[in-house]
Amino acid sequence: MNKIKIIIKREYLTRVSKKSFLVMTILGPILMSLLIFTPFFLSNIEEDRLNIMVVDQTLSISENDSVYLFRNQFKNSDKIKFEYFDDIETAQSILKEGSVDGVLEIVKTNDTPPIKGFMYYGEEDIPGSAQEEIKNQLTNILKNSILRLDYGMNEKEIAWVNNPTIDFYTKNIFSGEESFNEIKTLLGMIAGFLIYFFVFLFGAQIMKSVSDEKMNRVVEVLVSSVKPIELLFGKIIAIALVSLTQIALWIVIIFGIITFAQTAAPEIFTIQQEQTINIDQRIITVDQINATETPEASELVRGLFAINIPLMVGMFVFYFIMGFLLYASLFGAIGSLIDIDTDGSQFTLPITIPLILAIICLPILSDNPTSSIAFWLSIIPFTAPVAMMVRIPFGVATWEIILSCGLMILFIAGSIYIAAKIYRTGILMYGKKITYSELWKWLRYKN
Amino acid sequence: MNILETKEVSKSYSSHKVLDKVSISIKEGEIFGLLGPNGAGKTTLIRMINQITAPDEGEILFFGNKLKREDIKNIGYLPEERGLYKKMKVGEQAIYLAELKGLSKKEAKKRLEYWFERFEIGDWWNKRIEELSKGMAQKIQFITTILHEPKLLIFDEPFSGFDPLNANLLKNEILNLREKGATIIFSTHNMESVEEICDSIALINKSKKILEGNVYEIKEKFKQNLFEITIPYQENINPLIIEGCQITNSIINKGKLVLTLSIPQGRNAELLSNILKQTNILSYREILPSMNNIFIETIKNNE
């Protein structure tokens, strides 16, 4: 027992004192923040404004007026400024001179829809987002004109018809709580992905560390002092501690960033006092709906409060450790098969497939956490750590959790047994190509 | 007293028998040669003594008691496949390996300082192994093997990979350790390299022990009464040789004649005096069989 401590100490200290550990610790949260905030920053960057010249050819003569459907109807935006011109040929020569970025010609046709737009542009292509905006505006203007001219609607009525989104609420019929499905999905996916990420990252580290010791030929010296299993588990425990240290440091840093953001922009984090809609009330007025609308971020904070955080954290730690032990011991065993001239790739594939499968199934899992595929993936130990974490925010029956945990522990015992057998033979097997049938023989060796 | 005894130990991997009822006994304070070709089972036997693997059958006694886990602190092992952590600093690494053998950090450091001074390598303490030459790393490896002052030292193919200078240094240090009371096992397929320093040997071939005993006694047993006599060159040597002796070889070398003779038991004096009557004897020595020859002879006899 004392020797395993010495091994853990060395393995732990060499890893946390590496530069790469420090870099990962600092860079991890920064990268994560960047991932979250970059879209926000990008959307605030001012782009060059495009000058578009509109030539409207849709003149129609009504009873008392001549009407152009599109003239002066486009809304100027940050991206595009619209000008209007009568003559298409002159407009095109202005475009060739380069004083405008594009010419939009709108003509009537006998097709459906009866209006078509043609875009001419100069030397540089018009950005896709600008094209999309122009297309949307064209459609809207046509639609609004139809509503105004053919149906005689006024401005207010048109605005009402165009009101594009209807808010959607979900409520549990028993608890009466709002269910915040989006946030649960997000949280479950992050937890599942973190487990996947760390199992892979540190599993690979264990594999490399074991094969390094074999290739250095230091391993036989070591096992003349300690039992092979002490060596393997000293390493696995140390690397688990390293990963927990890393996560703890990340949490501290992220907490620091959040605290900083809280002082810089407190409005994101305050839960606003608001009216809630009573579901029993059948008729809900527009004012009531408006009153319940809250900023996105505040909804996120409320959603977080709605989830059973202690259960989530507890389960995360459990599945993290269990998943880690399951895969770490197997990765360790594979590491012992790798030598200077043999790689272990044919053995890594079978154990990485279940993990990758779990990650591929993430969207299916979060889309329907109670489906039978979700059930089986969260019961089978090789995918359970990832799959169960996705399901837990949505609530999982206790017996399912117990079944999954129990199987997990059983499989870990099995994988440790197999890994120890392979490891103790593998580390001392030099210069021999190892096949599956060879491994099968090793498993049947007496100790 | 026997420091180590193996009693009919056997080991199989699947259907392949690696050791078949091998019994050896090693006396305290001697240098014991475990000899045999590659693949004979020497390393497996050594790994059993180091408790890296366990025998399927038979038992191993250490100072008369069944070998147990605590005994590893009394055994030092330099494996054939050896190496050190490349990125770890020399001093840290040596202390780590000593701690695993049960030494306290303080004691390890004290002993290391002695050895580093003895090998004049004090300034390597903070270097990484990868910064050292191969010969330098070998010295460190040797120090880490003996630092815990084990009663039994096991060297598997000790001279392979060591340059001649370090091999010699190693040999001298090992002899020093024996002076201080350590027992030493050499395992090698290269029999010439150790036969002159071994007290006893065991020959292992195809997972079986085929010969064991004191080197002197074995050589006596296998000797063929061959002698080498050097005399000044002369044309006709027939009058010199007495009846019953046979010349198996003769070489002319710088005006001298080197004869290899087989002399029947007890007739050496008769032959020598017969030669001395007619010419000088420049040198005379008995030719003892080499371990290699004994090995080949034994295998032939066993078949």
Side-chain angles (χ1 to χ4, degrees):
Chain A
M1 223 40 222
N2 197 24
K3 286 185 180 167
I4 210 166
K5 260 188 233 158
I6 298 169
I7 295 168
I8 293 171
K9 196 176 132 199
R10 190 201 86 89
E11 295 280 342
Y12 182 84
L13 290 179
T14 23
R15 286 198 161 68
V16 293
S17 59
K18 267 188 196 165
K19 272 192 206 109
S20 57
F21 179 82
L22 191 72
V23 170
M24 266 287 274
T25 306
I26 296 170
L27 231 54
I30 291 174
L31 281 177
M32 261 190 268
S33 318
L34 275 182
L35 223 62
I36 296 164
F37 290 121
T38 309
F40 177 75
F41 286 128
L42 281 183
S43 66
N44 282 357
I45 293 170
E46 295 240 341
E47 284 174 45
D48 286 340
R49 215 175 179 203
L50 291 173
N51 271 318
I52 301 289
M53 190 169 273
V54 178
V55 180
D56 188 358
Q57 313 262 36
T58 62
L59 179 70
S60 56
I61 312 293
S62 69
E63 288 152 19
N64 41 18
D65 209 351
S66 55
V67 178
Y68 286 100
L69 283 180
F70 294 90
R71 189 165 291 187
N72 297 325
Q73 295 293 322
F74 285 95
K75 293 188 188 94
N76 290 330
S77 69
D78 293 340
K79 279 189 203 147
I80 311 169
K81 182 171 171 282
F82 294 96
E83 290 169 58
Y84 303 90
F85 205 81
D86 286 332
D87 177 26
I88 180 67
E89 267 155 38
T90 323
Q92 279 173 343
S93 58
I94 292 171
L95 173 65
K96 277 176 192 157
E97 281 167 26
S99 358
V100 290
D101 299 297
V103 168
L104 173 68
E105 187 188 14
I106 308 163
V107 292
K108 269 192 190 171
T109 66
N110 291 326
D111 299 337
T112 35
I115 307 287
K116 278 209 163 47
F118 293 95
M119 189 78 207
Y120 305 97
Y121 60 89
E123 278 170 5
E124 280 172 51
D125 221 329
I126 302 283
S129 60
Q131 291 192 44
E132 199 59 30
E133 188 181 330
I134 292 166
K135 202 172 139 189
N136 284 340
Q137 285 213 36
L138 271 172
T139 315
N140 276 335
I141 292 165
L142 178 63
K143 192 170 77 184
N144 293 350
S145 303
I146 292 166
L147 293 174
R148 189 172 72 248
L149 299 174
D150 293 356
Y151 293 91
M153 284 186 181
N154 62 27
E155 292 283 321
K156 205 182 160 189
E157 286 166 325
I158 291 171
W160 176 246
V161 170
N162 282 338
N163 185 15
T165 53
I166 293 174
D167 284 334
F168 180 69
Y169 296 86
T170 49
K171 255 189 180 185
N172 188 297
I173 193 83
F174 298 110
S175 62
E177 283 168 359
E178 278 188 69
S179 40
F180 298 104
N181 275 338
E182 284 172 18
I183 289 147
K184 286 177 178 173
T185 305
L186 191 71
L187 207 64
M189 282 198 143
I190 289 174
F193 188 78
L194 270 183
I195 287 181
Y196 164 84
F197 178 74
F198 275 102
V199 164
F200 243 125
L201 185 71
F202 289 102
Q205 277 197 17
I206 284 168
M207 188 165 91
K208 188 175 179 312
S209 172
V210 168
S211 68
D212 274 355
E213 274 176 2
K214 184 178 174 181
M215 287 193 266
N216 278 347
R217 299 291 194 251
V218 76
V219 71
E220 195 161 345
V221 175
L222 294 174
V223 294
S224 69
S225 304
V226 300
K227 288 181 187 160
I229 190 129
E230 290 177 319
L231 188 58
L232 179 60
F233 279 88
K235 204 179 279 296
I236 289 176
I237 293 167
I239 291 180
L241 289 177
V242 171
S243 67
L244 289 175
T245 309
Q246 181 124 69
I247 293 176
L249 287 173
W250 281 2
I251 289 171
V252 169
I253 292 173
I254 289 173
F255 191 74
I257 292 174
I258 289 174
T259 320
F260 173 76
Q262 212 161 12
T263 40
E267 67 276 2
I268 302 172
F269 297 91
T270 45
I271 300 172
Q272 290 174 354
Q273 277 307 117
E274 78 244 342
Q275 276 181 291
T276 47
I277 297 174
N278 186 349
I279 254 181
D280 302 330
Q281 196 182 330
R282 293 288 159 170
I283 298 156
I284 301 165
T285 67
V286 175
D287 287 342
Q288 269 178 317
I289 291 172
N290 288 340
T292 56
E293 267 176 19
T294 49
E296 287 276 310
S298 166
E299 192 155 343
L300 181 99
V301 176
R302 283 202 307 133
L304 286 176
F305 282 116
I307 290 163
N308 187 343
I309 294 290
L311 176 77
M312 184 81 191
V313 172
M315 286 284 105
F316 180 80
V317 173
F318 176 83
Y319 278 109
F320 183 86
I321 293 171
M322 292 292 122
F324 185 82
L325 282 179
L326 181 68
Y327 280 99
S329 49
L330 293 177
F331 272 116
I334 292 169
S336 76
L337 307 177
I338 301 170
D339 200 359
I340 295 157
D341 43 10
T342 53
D343 66 2
S345 51
Q346 82 263 39
F347 301 111
T348 32
L349 196 65
I351 70 160
T352 49
I353 281 174
L355 260 185
I356 292 166
L357 183 77
I359 276 300
I360 289 170
C361 291
L362 268 190
I364 308 170
L365 286 167
S366 60
D367 187 45
N368 191 355
T370 51
S371 64
S372 62
I373 181 165
F375 171 78
W376 286 112
L377 285 178
S378 60
I379 295 300
I380 296 166
F382 288 101
T383 50
V386 173
M388 197 51 118
M389 282 324 292
V390 180
R391 291 184 62 202
I392 280 180
F394 297 94
V396 180
T398 316
W399 70 268
E400 285 184 33
I401 293 183
I402 291 170
L403 177 64
S404 162
C405 292
L407 272 179
M408 197 81 218
I409 290 166
L410 218 67
F411 266 65
I412 287 165
S415 79
I416 286 174
Y417 175 79
I418 290 171
K421 281 212 150 192
I422 292 176
Y423 177 80
R424 59 188 299 149
T425 313
I427 45 171
L428 297 176
M429 196 64 76
Y430 307 113
K432 189 173 177 186
K433 180 119 181 72
I434 295 152
T435 57
Y436 278 106
S437 62
E438 186 81 11
L439 282 187
W440 179 243
K441 275 191 218 157
W442 295 5
L443 290 178
R444 293 181 308 168
Y445 285 170
K446 277 175 249 165
N447 287 349
Chain B
M1 170 147 197
N2 284 338
I3 186 169
L4 188 93
E5 250 178 281
T6 70
K7 289 190 166 171
E8 303 213 320
V9 291
S10 299
K11 180 88 186 170
S12 309
Y13 288 114
S14 308
S15 55
H16 178 55
K17 200 144 204 173
V18 190
L19 283 178
D20 190 4
K21 293 189 175 161
V22 172
S23 302
I24 57 167
S25 50
I26 300 168
K27 289 190 196 73
E28 195 176 359
E30 72 175 351
I31 296 182
F32 186 92
L34 191 61
L35 311 178
N38 285 327
K42 302 186 301 290
T43 298
T44 306
L45 186 63
I46 286 172
R47 282 179 180 167
M48 281 178 187
I49 298 168
N50 281 295
Q51 299 177 67
I52 294 168
T53 48
D56 296 341
E57 286 162 43
E59 59 174 356
I60 300 172
L61 302 179
F62 192 67
F63 283 110
N65 299 314
K66 209 164 185 246
L67 187 69
K68 51 191 183 301
R69 201 66 206 160
E70 296 92 85
D71 293 329
I72 51 168
K73 64 173 186 290
N74 288 318
I75 300 175
Y77 175 36
L78 185 70
E80 181 181 6
E81 296 284 354
R82 52 191 170 241
L84 296 162
Y85 289 109
K86 289 199 168 55
K87 301 220 178 285
M88 212 173 167
K89 284 178 183 159
V90 171
E92 276 173 33
Q93 179 150 206
I95 287 176
Y96 175 60
L97 293 173
E99 278 185 297
L100 289 181
K101 279 285 183 194
L103 244 56
S104 75
K105 200 169 194 167
K106 212 176 131 195
E107 183 61 32
K109 204 165 174 191
K110 207 177 95 191
R111 291 189 192 178
L112 280 170
E113 272 160 11
Y114 164 80
W115 280 104
F116 273 48
E117 202 172 306
R118 189 184 167 99
F119 283 4
E120 296 167 350
I121 54 173
D123 50 337
W124 294 359
W125 189 270
N126 280 320
K127 282 197 170 138
R128 290 166 197 276
I129 293 290
E130 60 188 356
E131 295 170 56
L132 301 181
S133 75
K134 214 176 164 197
M136 290 163 149
Q138 285 165 354
K139 282 184 182 169
I140 308 291
Q141 187 104 47
F142 177 72
I143 293 172
T144 60
T145 309
I146 57 159
L147 195 70
H148 57 295
E149 296 173 359
K151 293 197 173 78
L152 178 64
L153 273 163
I154 303 170
F155 297 95
D156 196 355
E157 300 291 353
F159 304 113
S160 79
F162 274 70
D163 56 62
L165 215 62
N166 276 326
N168 207 37
L169 181 89
L170 185 75
K171 223 178 220 174
N172 289 334
E173 286 300 335
I174 289 169
L175 290 173
N176 262 334
L177 289 167
R178 202 258 300 257
E179 289 300 305
K180 287 178 190 161
T183 309
I184 289 135
I185 299 178
F186 277 127
S187 163
T188 181
H189 68 280
N190 185 0
M191 296 170 204
E192 270 87 35
S193 69
V194 291
E195 64 179 314
E196 82 255 30
I197 58 170
C198 284
D199 302 310
S200 303
I201 57 112
L203 280 181
I204 293 185
N205 187 45
K206 291 180 182 163
S207 70
K208 283 187 173 126
K209 183 190 82 179
I210 55 171
L211 187 68
E212 187 188 9
N214 180 289
V215 171
Y216 176 76
E217 286 164 11
I218 289 175
K219 291 210 168 182
E220 282 296 307
K221 191 177 150 201
F222 279 83
K223 72 178 182 189
Q224 291 161 313
N225 294 320
L226 282 178
F227 293 85
E228 187 189 272
I229 298 173
T230 312
I231 53 171
Y233 177 73
Q234 64 181 83
E235 194 81 10
N236 186 8
I237 54 171
N238 283 338
L240 299 177
I241 308 305
I242 59 168
E243 195 196 339
C245 286
Q246 267 185 336
I247 301 170
T248 57
N249 198 13
S250 73
I251 307 161
I252 302 161
N253 184 15
K254 290 175 189 159
K256 294 169 202 160
L257 195 59
V258 182
L259 301 170
T260 309
L261 294 155
S262 109
I263 309 172
Q265 197 95 37
R267 295 189 64 193
N268 295 30
E270 197 185 327
L271 173 76
L272 290 179
S273 68
N274 188 43
I275 298 173
L276 279 173
K277 275 180 211 155
Q278 303 171 53
T279 181
N280 281 333
I281 296 178
L282 300 172
S283 82
Y284 163 76
R285 69 180 186 89
E286 187 174 12
I287 299 175
L288 286 173
S290 71
M291 265 310 151
N292 240 339
N293 290 339
I294 293 173
F295 177 70
I296 292 162
E297 185 80 7
T298 314
I299 289 175
K300 245 190 268 168
N301 293 346
N302 279 10
E303 271 164 7

